Amino acid sequence: MTGWCMRQAILSDLHSNIEALQACVTHAREQGATHFACLGDCVGYGADPVPTLDLLRSLPHLLMIRGNHDEALFQDEDIGVPGIREALDWTGTQLTPTHCELLEAAPYIQTLGEVTYAHASAHDPQAWEYLRQPEQIRACLEATPAHITFIGHVHVPMVFYLTAGDTLREHNPEPGVPIPLSPTCRYVVNVGSVGQPRDGNNAASYAIYDSDRVEVTIHRIPYDYVSAAEKILAAGLSARFAERLMEGR
Amino acid sequence: MATARKKRAVTPAPHLRPGVKLGRYRVGQMLHEGGMAQLYAVDAKPPLILKVPKLGPDHPASSLVAFENELRILERLRGPHVPKLVAAGDLVHQPYLLLERIDGDALARAAQQAPVSLDTLRDLGVQLARAVQAVHHQNVIHLDLNPNNVRNRADGTMVLIDFGLAHHAGLPDLHDAAFGEEEGTTAYIAPEQLHHVRSDSRSDIYAIGAILYQLATGHYPFGRPNLMSLKRRLVAPPLPPRSHNPQLPPWLQEIILRCLETKPENRYATAKRVAHLLAHPESVPDTRRSHRRQAPGLTVRSRAWARSVFQKFDDDAAQRPYERLTTSPHVLVALKLAHCSESQKEALRRAVRRLALSESKSYFTFVTVVPQADWEQARQQGKRAPDLANLLAMRNWAQPLRLPEVRMVFQVLPGEPVRTLLGYARRHLVDHIIVGARGSSALRRHLGSISAAVAAQAACTVTVVRTRKDVGKGGKTTNSK
């Protein structure tokens, strides 16, 4: 992917929230996004798995990564959130074989040139760690030669970087402000969550990566969370999933 | 992987030498060679300067970081107080900066000739503080202010240069002490910078204090710049400037020592506050230390030392420079007390009190504008202070507010009211204007037009204060623009 100019919208943790995905995709197209990546967790929590996956499939140059909810859809094990097993089983009844193929074909991790894409971490991606501690971030950086690693899973947008002097720092990105990525540093960028933001801001979160300018911008997009929440309640899924959309927690 | 990255980053220094063509420019003679970069003249209209970082095994690896940092920040800064960035070379293959050349070095020359006259010091200090304010307003902290990093345009406007060490609050910070980078310039560096705190805009206030100290006395605040002078600033205040030069006015000593407080929270919150006080010395409080001519006694020093042992410089809850500016507003209150009813006076006081309470760092300038003719007439009659009656009336009005002296300035200004108020607000970077609405129908034409014109033309928020009684006559209680 080096030497090739692209503006890639990186979406993660969609969680069957078509209202949020639609808002992000519309915004990304307005921003001139030519490529799309989805870092996993397309399903779970939300009530619109089919429209979400259909819209996702239609996006140009789509790169798909597998998340823990996508994996749990095809396994019986519990992922530890009350009500999520029922939500995933219900999701399974909604999907067609085409949708299932899309999710099953997604790899855990992919590296293209200077960029690595993973759901939770580049280090042991199937362990589904929540990357918060410095040692976890260092392990993630050591597991890949890439300049930038894009992740999701934690539902909180954040930029971690290792300076030329081997100091690990974090930067809380301002929405809409492009962050230039220095060739002297290495980065782990958490793009936040499209369908279940959890940093106290209920606007959907996604990133645009500009490979030409070597910049990342985190965008926060307000969307119709009331409709999304009503559909969750109407589908008989856990009311807590609906509440979380309003609170952004 | 780290080696992979380094291979990408560190390329040999490009062959940019005198005579080489760079696009449509030709590189001229070398002007300066520092530890991290070389500066060349570039003959163009207007004249430019070429800055090339020193790269390669013989030079500090941090010079590339400083270069990239400066590029990122200059790309984002605007206005007359920073050099224009004309072009920049590719970071990996041929790094260079092509910048507007600003030759004025009034501050550096004054620092060499220090001590300078009080008028020169005030003028330079105000200009410097304004330039720093303009940069803070754009969320950037310079962190290496010293007389050599400040230039001036022909009209005296100061321009800050060399943003290699600066910090942009909206960008990831590339600097790394572990990488062996310098933290600032020894004589001017703030104590928290020695603890690697790079996110406090009040570090620049400290440097302003150190520069003012040098201009006033001809000495550095902590003696010759060396390791001892770095340690000393962590444990004790500097020698009072009046110990070097007893002629210095106490208010100036107070401003300088407040800028040079060890704890950032004890310094002035904004650079424009320093500029405002340099212009209004009468509102600088008279304290014991403002008169001091010797080093503080053993008790004060040992107390300062004991405090320093437990002093922590907190980087966690750092306020972005721009936020600090909005929580330390300069409020201009236009008063025409002779035409105000008691209820209007009280309504104005309430408006001031609300702001004073909600923003504990706010400060107020109370202004009465008098017609030029009255002013001249009073002067001709030989009155020593033609504004005395108005000043006393304002102070009397302000007493129930119980604001500390340091948060208040009282001014009587001659001229046409609207133009005078707006001119003052512009010069002193006022954030908020409070003005009374027309008082009664008899004065409607006179005062009403003032508040409406101020609200329409001001570059900041304007609160027009009305008393409840006036509402019936067709207005709102308060009205914010």
Side-chain angles (χ1 to χ4, degrees):
Chain A
M1 219 169 269
T2 21
W4 166 22
C5 165
M6 65 162 185
R7 272 174 82 74
Q8 185 179 43
I10 303 164
L11 314 157
S12 186
D13 300 83
L14 284 52
H15 291 298
S16 302
N17 185 338
I18 185 64
E19 284 78 12
L21 178 61
Q22 190 73 62
C24 289
V25 167
T26 305
H27 183 266
R29 287 189 193 275
E30 284 166 6
Q31 297 287 310
T34 52
H35 294 59
F36 284 83
C38 170
L39 302 184
D41 278 8
C42 305
V43 295
Y45 300 125
D48 275 318
V50 172
T52 300
L53 288 171
D54 284 342
L55 174 56
L56 203 53
R57 272 197 312 166
S58 72
L59 297 174
H61 301 283
L62 178 69
L63 182 147
M64 281 284 287
I65 297 292
R66 185 186 301 204
N68 52 324
H69 284 249
D70 309 329
E71 187 176 76
L73 191 62
F74 305 108
Q75 295 169 353
D76 280 339
E77 64 188 71
D78 193 10
I79 49 176
V81 180
I84 194 64
R85 190 63 258 167
E86 292 76 13
L88 287 171
D89 291 342
W90 173 84
T91 302
T93 64
Q94 308 287 308
L95 300 184
T96 66
T98 329
H99 298 125
C100 293
E101 273 166 32
L102 179 72
L103 295 177
E104 277 180 309
Y108 289 104
I109 181 166
Q110 196 161 356
T111 299
L112 293 171
E114 294 285 302
V115 188
T116 291
Y117 305 84
H119 178 65
S121 172
H123 169 73
D124 198 2
Q126 297 176 61
W128 311 121
E129 284 179 88
Y130 288 91
L131 238 61
R132 293 193 185 105
Q133 300 302 320
E135 51 274 23
Q136 294 175 305
I137 293 149
R138 277 183 186 274
C140 173
L141 283 163
E142 276 164 26
T144 166
H147 183 206
I148 313 154
T149 303
F150 288 106
I151 57 163
H153 195 48
V154 183
H155 295 220
V156 177
M158 188 61 81
V159 176
F160 302 97
Y161 60 110
L162 193 64
T163 68
D166 201 38
T167 304
L168 189 68
R169 295 228 182 92
E170 62 177 63
H171 173 75
N172 194 355
E174 243 173 83
V177 177
I179 299 166
L181 303 176
S182 165
T184 62
C185 300
R186 299 183 63 225
Y187 296 84
V188 174
V189 179
N190 193 319
V191 300
S193 168
V194 171
Q196 275 269 330
R198 287 184 196 159
D199 58 345
N201 175 355
N202 64 15
S205 174
Y206 83 99
I208 287 191
Y209 167 55
D210 187 316
S211 71
D212 191 29
R213 301 175 60 89
V214 201
E215 280 179 355
V216 167
T217 312
I218 298 287
H219 291 287
R220 298 309 292 262
I221 314 297
Y223 72 96
D224 181 6
Y225 57 82
V226 178
S227 297
E230 280 171 358
K231 287 188 203 167
I232 290 176
L233 297 176
L237 304 176
S238 164
R240 179 70 196 127
F241 301 164
E243 280 168 24
R244 293 187 88 161
L245 292 185
M246 318 233 184
E247 296 164 7
R249 284 200 190 279
Chain B
M1 287 125 312
T3 44
R5 291 258 58 76
K6 272 176 196 159
K7 222 183 285 165
R8 235 176 81 101
V10 182
T11 49
H15 300 291
L16 288 172
R17 293 186 301 265
V20 170
K21 284 275 272 185
L22 185 69
R24 60 195 176 96
Y25 303 104
R26 187 176 292 281
V27 181
Q29 65 182 46
M30 190 193 283
L31 298 173
H32 178 74
E33 176 154 18
M36 297 224 196
Q38 294 162 327
L39 296 178
Y40 297 92
V42 173
D43 203 13
K45 272 189 185 162
L48 301 175
I49 204 161
L50 176 73
K51 187 170 185 178
V52 185
K54 290 175 158 183
L55 301 176
D58 302 335
H59 301 294
S62 54
S63 62
L64 185 75
V65 175
F67 169 82
E68 185 179 2
N69 197 46
E70 179 159 31
L71 169 63
R72 299 293 183 222
I73 288 174
L74 286 178
E75 279 175 336
R76 285 160 177 79
L77 283 176
R78 297 279 175 276
H81 298 290
V82 290
K84 273 188 205 68
L85 177 66
V86 177
D90 174 63
L91 198 62
V92 178
H93 301 108
Q94 194 181 45
Y96 67 84
L97 297 174
L98 203 52
L99 300 166
E100 177 189 14
R101 177 170 170 176
I102 298 138
D103 280 326
D105 59 349
L107 189 64
R109 271 188 290 123
Q112 269 172 7
Q113 294 158 5
V116 298
S117 75
L118 194 58
D119 285 343
T120 309
L121 181 142
R122 277 171 72 173
D123 183 41
L124 291 173
V126 167
Q127 296 286 358
L128 171 64
R130 283 196 187 149
V132 174
Q133 172 77 22
V135 166
H136 287 180
H137 193 77
Q138 297 175 69
N139 250 340
V140 171
I141 312 169
H142 189 283
L143 295 174
D144 193 17
L145 287 177
N146 65 59
N148 291 323
N149 281 345
V150 183
R151 301 270 157 161
N152 60 280
R153 298 182 189 278
D155 66 354
T157 306
M158 295 234 178
V159 181
L160 308 185
I161 60 166
D162 198 349
F163 285 83
L165 279 178
H167 174 74
H168 191 300
L171 298 180
D173 194 7
L174 299 176
H175 271 274
D176 193 343
F179 203 38
E181 283 169 43
E182 289 172 33
E183 308 269 352
T185 303
T186 308
Y188 311 91
I189 194 169
E192 64 275 13
Q193 287 177 267
L194 299 174
H195 287 260
H196 313 309
V197 173
R198 290 177 38 79
S199 54
D200 199 319
S201 55
R202 292 167 299 193
S203 302
D204 284 348
I205 307 291
Y206 190 92
I208 293 176
I211 293 170
L212 293 178
Y213 191 106
Q214 188 182 0
L215 293 178
T217 65
H219 295 267
Y220 296 118
F222 292 93
R224 274 192 308 150
N226 55 25
L227 202 59
M228 274 311 290
S229 83
L230 287 179
K231 295 265 181 223
R232 223 173 284 140
R233 76 194 61 199
L234 290 171
V235 297
L239 276 179
R242 280 160 60 89
S243 68
H244 299 292
N245 180 358
Q247 305 306 317
L248 286 179
W251 60 262
L252 180 60
Q253 171 149 309
E254 176 61 25
I255 292 178
I256 292 174
L257 291 180
R258 180 111 189 254
C259 289
L260 289 171
E261 284 276 4
T262 310
K263 286 175 154 187
E265 54 271 36
N266 292 342
R267 296 174 209 148
Y268 298 111
T270 61
K272 73 174 171 189
R273 181 81 168 117
V274 180
H276 191 237
L277 289 175
L278 284 171
H280 296 292
E282 70 280 0
S283 62
V284 179
D286 221 18
T287 62
R288 241 164 81 188
R289 78 168 172 191
S290 61
H291 289 272
R292 194 173 278 151
R293 287 186 192 175
Q294 295 154 359
L298 191 63
T299 340
V300 174
R301 273 183 293 153
S302 38
R303 218 179 284 148
W305 178 85
R307 266 201 306 267
S308 76
V309 175
F310 302 102
Q311 172 74 47
K312 273 202 185 121
F313 294 100
D314 192 7
D315 202 13
D316 293 341
Q319 248 187 335
R320 295 193 164 170
Y322 183 75
E323 287 166 29
R324 196 180 314 283
L325 301 190
T326 53
T327 55
S328 317
H330 180 187
V331 185
L332 175 67
V333 186
L335 296 171
K336 193 88 185 168
L337 294 170
H339 299 285
C340 274
S341 67
E342 279 311 310
S343 61
Q344 284 171 319
K345 287 181 188 172
E346 184 49 38
L348 280 162
R349 265 194 299 262
R350 266 202 306 275
V352 170
R353 193 179 287 124
R354 261 199 303 272
L355 257 172
L357 287 175
S358 62
E359 302 287 8
S360 62
K361 296 269 187 189
S362 53
Y363 55 103
F364 299 82
T365 302
F366 303 103
V367 173
T368 297
V369 183
V370 296
Q372 189 79 38
D374 292 8
W375 178 273
E376 297 295 339
Q377 197 186 351
R379 197 175 263 173
Q380 277 162 15
Q381 286 169 0
K383 285 188 186 167
R384 259 178 60 228
D387 46 3
L388 190 62
N390 278 309
L391 281 178
L392 288 176
M394 283 195 287
R395 282 192 170 273
N396 189 39
W397 168 87
Q399 259 184 355
L401 290 168
R402 304 219 175 278
L403 280 172
E405 268 306 291
V406 66
R407 291 176 72 184
M408 303 189 289
V409 171
F410 296 90
Q411 284 276 303
V412 177
L413 302 170
E416 188 279 320
V418 175
R419 205 173 330 128
T420 309
L421 289 171
L422 293 175
Y424 189 93
R426 196 174 48 245
R427 269 196 312 285
H428 294 283
L429 307 169
V430 165
D431 299 290
H432 194 144
I433 300 175
I434 296 179
V435 55
R438 52 199 170 210
S440 62
S441 53
L443 289 164
R444 180 167 289 216
R445 257 187 327 236
H446 182 57
L447 283 177
S449 62
I450 294 175
S451 61
V454 168
Q457 294 169 43
C460 63
T461 302
V462 178
T463 300
V464 178
V465 178
R466 289 207 175 96
T467 50
R468 208 25 90 190
K469 212 166 63 182
D470 298 335
V471 176
K473 295 174 186 167
K476 295 175 193 164
T477 325
T478 57
N479 199 358
S480 283
K481 189 186 112 180

